[in-house]
Amino acid sequence: PLIARAGRVNSSARLAASGWYAPHNASWLREQGVAVLGADAEADLLTLARRQLPTSNSQLPISGGSRRQFLQPDREGLPPLSRYASLQMPDGTRRVVGSTDATRGCKHLCRHCPIVPVYGGTFRAIPIDIVMDDVRAQVAAGAQHISFGDPDFFNGPTHARRLVEAVAKEFPRLTYDVTIKIEHILRHADMLGLLRETRCLMITSAVESVDDDVLLKLRKGHTRADFIEAVGACKRAGVTLAPTFVPFTPWTTIDGYIDLLEQLDALELAEGVAPIQLAIRLLVTAESKLLELPEVRDLVNPFDAESLTFPWRHRDPRVDDLQRAVMQVVSGAAHASRGDTFDRIVALASGSGDRPVRVKRAIPPYMTEGWYCCAEPGPEQLDLV
């Protein structure tokens, strides 16, 4: 709809799309007259600018050379950082958050991940001086906390070590968070202490499931036991682990969903999981590696250009009904605590209607806006996308 509207408003405008999902849908986008920028968009963007702005070519940077592939982001004209999501601290205060990347791509090949078709298991480290310049600019703009958006901060552990040491040395009061795969948390457990010492408050990790069969199908590279071990490792190191999930998949069962909730409660993570993570439904996009699986190919409907997905419905309608009900609970719980929302979901999934009696735990640091990816709207929402 936005593409069509832009064309009506300004028929002479040149439209371009970037991001992980743009290359996935390159054919469809080009049919709409939209240029598609690659995963590392700087060079493609320069080429587009030279074609569209020939009179300004003398002012455009010269392409070429490895350093020119990475530029410090220019955020002039964007809203102030205080307008974006902030970090909610356990004591009730909030910290202004900035965001940057230390690497691009990912060396892993998780089937459901949108990065895999774009980068094909490769990643590149952004030079530390460029990352530091970006951090400096955001601190000057008021950032008290930096969120590193890398798909896996430990894809390059030596690079990560040097960066956090540099950040801590220059900004000893600045806190930060990172995203790390479960297998890397365990493989580099000796670095967790360094993260704590350099003021890392939170590690996000895409756990996705506690069902070993589902984890194998998603090609996650870890098991349920690995997840439990990683929770303990982070707890001992004094760093919060914030797991994310894709609980509704073609392989989800009602009992399996209840098992997930019970495991989170047993690990004292009810307050540590954003409620939206308990409602997410697996996304099957163009070029998704999930289509390697015969059971997924047999299940999905034809590609839907409106949602840019392969829609699917669970073979057990009760699972889709549960997903819709959980999403409704989450959507209406904007002002409820995480623990209370978790309890409502447990009561809903168990069918008892009674909230469980459990010990309320301390709420760890968390972002005021939960993020997620690999999520598809429920079957009833497809016509609205």
Side-chain angles (χ1 to χ4, degrees), residues 13-26:
R14 185 76 166 106
L15 304 181
S18 65
W20 294 334
Y21 292 103
H24 296 189
N25 298 283

PDB file of all heavy atoms in Angstrom, residues 13-26:
ATOM      1  N   ALA A  13       8.923  10.136  -8.440  1.00  0.00           N
ATOM      2  CA  ALA A  13       9.854   9.703  -7.396  1.00  0.00           C
ATOM      3  C   ALA A  13      10.446   8.345  -7.738  1.00  0.00           C
ATOM      4  O   ALA A  13       9.783   7.485  -8.315  1.00  0.00           O
ATOM      5  CB  ALA A  13       9.139   9.630  -6.052  1.00  0.00           C
ATOM      6  N   ARG A  14      11.697   8.149  -7.383  1.00  0.00           N
ATOM      7  CA  ARG A  14      12.375   6.859  -7.557  1.00  0.00           C
ATOM      8  C   ARG A  14      12.349   6.161  -6.214  1.00  0.00           C
ATOM      9  O   ARG A  14      12.880   6.669  -5.222  1.00  0.00           O
ATOM     10  CB  ARG A  14      13.830   7.071  -8.011  1.00  0.00           C
ATOM     11  CG  ARG A  14      14.562   5.785  -8.334  1.00  0.00           C
ATOM     12  CD  ARG A  14      14.133   5.237  -9.677  1.00  0.00           C
ATOM     13  NE  ARG A  14      15.070   4.205 -10.126  1.00  0.00           N
ATOM     14  CZ  ARG A  14      14.780   2.902 -10.121  1.00  0.00           C
ATOM     15  NH1 ARG A  14      13.620   2.481  -9.671  1.00  0.00           N
ATOM     16  NH2 ARG A  14      15.667   2.027 -10.578  1.00  0.00           N
ATOM     17  N   LEU A  15      11.732   4.996  -6.149  1.00  0.00           N
ATOM     18  CA  LEU A  15      11.602   4.269  -4.890  1.00  0.00           C
ATOM     19  C   LEU A  15      12.655   3.177  -4.798  1.00  0.00           C
ATOM     20  O   LEU A  15      12.990   2.526  -5.784  1.00  0.00           O
ATOM     21  CB  LEU A  15      10.214   3.639  -4.784  1.00  0.00           C
ATOM     22  CG  LEU A  15       9.023   4.595  -4.930  1.00  0.00           C
ATOM     23  CD1 LEU A  15       7.714   3.824  -4.778  1.00  0.00           C
ATOM     24  CD2 LEU A  15       9.104   5.723  -3.925  1.00  0.00           C
ATOM     25  N   ALA A  16      13.173   2.983  -3.591  1.00  0.00           N
ATOM     26  CA  ALA A  16      14.156   1.926  -3.356  1.00  0.00           C
ATOM     27  C   ALA A  16      13.825   1.242  -2.033  1.00  0.00           C
ATOM     28  O   ALA A  16      13.283   1.862  -1.118  1.00  0.00           O
ATOM     29  CB  ALA A  16      15.575   2.490  -3.316  1.00  0.00           C
ATOM     30  N   ALA A  17      14.152  -0.042  -1.958  1.00  0.00           N
ATOM     31  CA  ALA A  17      13.909  -0.820  -0.745  1.00  0.00           C
ATOM     32  C   ALA A  17      15.219  -1.431  -0.274  1.00  0.00           C
ATOM     33  O   ALA A  17      16.025  -1.899  -1.076  1.00  0.00           O
ATOM     34  CB  ALA A  17      12.881  -1.924  -1.009  1.00  0.00           C
ATOM     35  N   SER A  18      15.425  -1.425   1.043  1.00  0.00           N
ATOM     36  CA  SER A  18      16.621  -2.052   1.604  1.00  0.00           C
ATOM     37  C   SER A  18      16.211  -2.852   2.827  1.00  0.00           C
ATOM     38  O   SER A  18      15.059  -2.822   3.262  1.00  0.00           O
ATOM     39  CB  SER A  18      17.675  -0.996   1.981  1.00  0.00           C
ATOM     40  OG  SER A  18      17.178  -0.171   3.031  1.00  0.00           O
ATOM     41  N   GLY A  19      17.170  -3.554   3.422  1.00  0.00           N
ATOM     42  CA  GLY A  19      16.873  -4.389   4.579  1.00  0.00           C
ATOM     43  C   GLY A  19      16.870  -5.851   4.193  1.00  0.00           C
ATOM     44  O   GLY A  19      16.913  -6.219   3.017  1.00  0.00           O
ATOM     45  N   TRP A  20      16.814  -6.720   5.211  1.00  0.00           N
ATOM     46  CA  TRP A  20      16.917  -8.158   4.964  1.00  0.00           C
ATOM     47  C   TRP A  20      15.838  -8.680   4.035  1.00  0.00           C
ATOM     48  O   TRP A  20      16.073  -9.557   3.211  1.00  0.00           O
ATOM     49  CB  TRP A  20      16.848  -8.913   6.293  1.00  0.00           C
ATOM     50  CG  TRP A  20      17.996  -8.661   7.194  1.00  0.00           C
ATOM     51  CD1 TRP A  20      19.270  -8.285   6.827  1.00  0.00           C
ATOM     52  CD2 TRP A  20      18.001  -8.736   8.617  1.00  0.00           C
ATOM     53  NE1 TRP A  20      20.055  -8.130   7.937  1.00  0.00           N
ATOM     54  CE2 TRP A  20      19.312  -8.408   9.057  1.00  0.00           C
ATOM     55  CE3 TRP A  20      17.035  -9.064   9.557  1.00  0.00           C
ATOM     56  CZ2 TRP A  20      19.663  -8.400  10.396  1.00  0.00           C
ATOM     57  CZ3 TRP A  20      17.382  -9.055  10.890  1.00  0.00           C
ATOM     58  CH2 TRP A  20      18.685  -8.717  11.307  1.00  0.00           C
ATOM     59  N   TYR A  21      14.614  -8.142   4.149  1.00  0.00           N
ATOM     60  CA  TYR A  21      13.512  -8.699   3.370  1.00  0.00           C
ATOM     61  C   TYR A  21      13.436  -8.146   1.953  1.00  0.00           C
ATOM     62  O   TYR A  21      12.690  -8.674   1.128  1.00  0.00           O
ATOM     63  CB  TYR A  21      12.187  -8.462   4.095  1.00  0.00           C
ATOM     64  CG  TYR A  21      12.066  -9.260   5.370  1.00  0.00           C
ATOM     65  CD1 TYR A  21      12.250  -8.663   6.609  1.00  0.00           C
ATOM     66  CD2 TYR A  21      11.807 -10.624   5.337  1.00  0.00           C
ATOM     67  CE1 TYR A  21      12.157  -9.394   7.783  1.00  0.00           C
ATOM     68  CE2 TYR A  21      11.709 -11.365   6.504  1.00  0.00           C
ATOM     69  CZ  TYR A  21      11.883 -10.749   7.719  1.00  0.00           C
ATOM     70  OH  TYR A  21      11.805 -11.472   8.874  1.00  0.00           O
ATOM     71  N   ALA A  22      14.173  -7.088   1.652  1.00  0.00           N
ATOM     72  CA  ALA A  22      14.142  -6.544   0.290  1.00  0.00           C
ATOM     73  C   ALA A  22      14.738  -7.524  -0.725  1.00  0.00           C
ATOM     74  O   ALA A  22      14.097  -7.810  -1.747  1.00  0.00           O
ATOM     75  CB  ALA A  22      14.856  -5.197   0.248  1.00  0.00           C
ATOM     76  N   PRO A  23      15.943  -8.070  -0.499  1.00  0.00           N
ATOM     77  CA  PRO A  23      16.463  -9.045  -1.462  1.00  0.00           C
ATOM     78  C   PRO A  23      15.587 -10.286  -1.590  1.00  0.00           C
ATOM     79  O   PRO A  23      15.496 -10.879  -2.668  1.00  0.00           O
ATOM     80  CB  PRO A  23      17.846  -9.406  -0.894  1.00  0.00           C
ATOM     81  CG  PRO A  23      18.229  -8.236  -0.052  1.00  0.00           C
ATOM     82  CD  PRO A  23      16.947  -7.756   0.543  1.00  0.00           C
ATOM     83  N   HIS A  24      14.915 -10.696  -0.496  1.00  0.00           N
ATOM     84  CA  HIS A  24      14.023 -11.858  -0.564  1.00  0.00           C
ATOM     85  C   HIS A  24      12.931 -11.645  -1.595  1.00  0.00           C
ATOM     86  O   HIS A  24      12.502 -12.584  -2.271  1.00  0.00           O
ATOM     87  CB  HIS A  24      13.337 -12.093   0.788  1.00  0.00           C
ATOM     88  CG  HIS A  24      14.264 -12.447   1.896  1.00  0.00           C
ATOM     89  ND1 HIS A  24      13.810 -12.859   3.126  1.00  0.00           N
ATOM     90  CD2 HIS A  24      15.610 -12.460   1.981  1.00  0.00           C
ATOM     91  CE1 HIS A  24      14.846 -13.099   3.924  1.00  0.00           C
ATOM     92  NE2 HIS A  24      15.942 -12.851   3.248  1.00  0.00           N
ATOM     93  N   ASN A  25      12.459 -10.408  -1.677  1.00  0.00           N
ATOM     94  CA  ASN A  25      11.297 -10.093  -2.514  1.00  0.00           C
ATOM     95  C   ASN A  25      11.682  -9.220  -3.707  1.00  0.00           C
ATOM     96  O   ASN A  25      10.871  -8.424  -4.189  1.00  0.00           O
ATOM     97  CB  ASN A  25      10.236  -9.390  -1.664  1.00  0.00           C
ATOM     98  CG  ASN A  25       9.718 -10.269  -0.535  1.00  0.00           C
ATOM     99  OD1 ASN A  25       8.914 -11.162  -0.756  1.00  0.00           O
ATOM    100  ND2 ASN A  25      10.199 -10.021   0.677  1.00  0.00           N
ATOM    101  N   ALA A  26      12.918  -9.411  -4.194  1.00  0.00           N
ATOM    102  CA  ALA A  26      13.434  -8.545  -5.249  1.00  0.00           C
ATOM    103  C   ALA A  26      12.560  -8.581  -6.499  1.00  0.00           C
ATOM    104  O   ALA A  26      12.261  -7.538  -7.098  1.00  0.00           O
ATOM    105  CB  ALA A  26      14.871  -8.936  -5.588  1.00  0.00           C
TER     106      ALA A  26
END
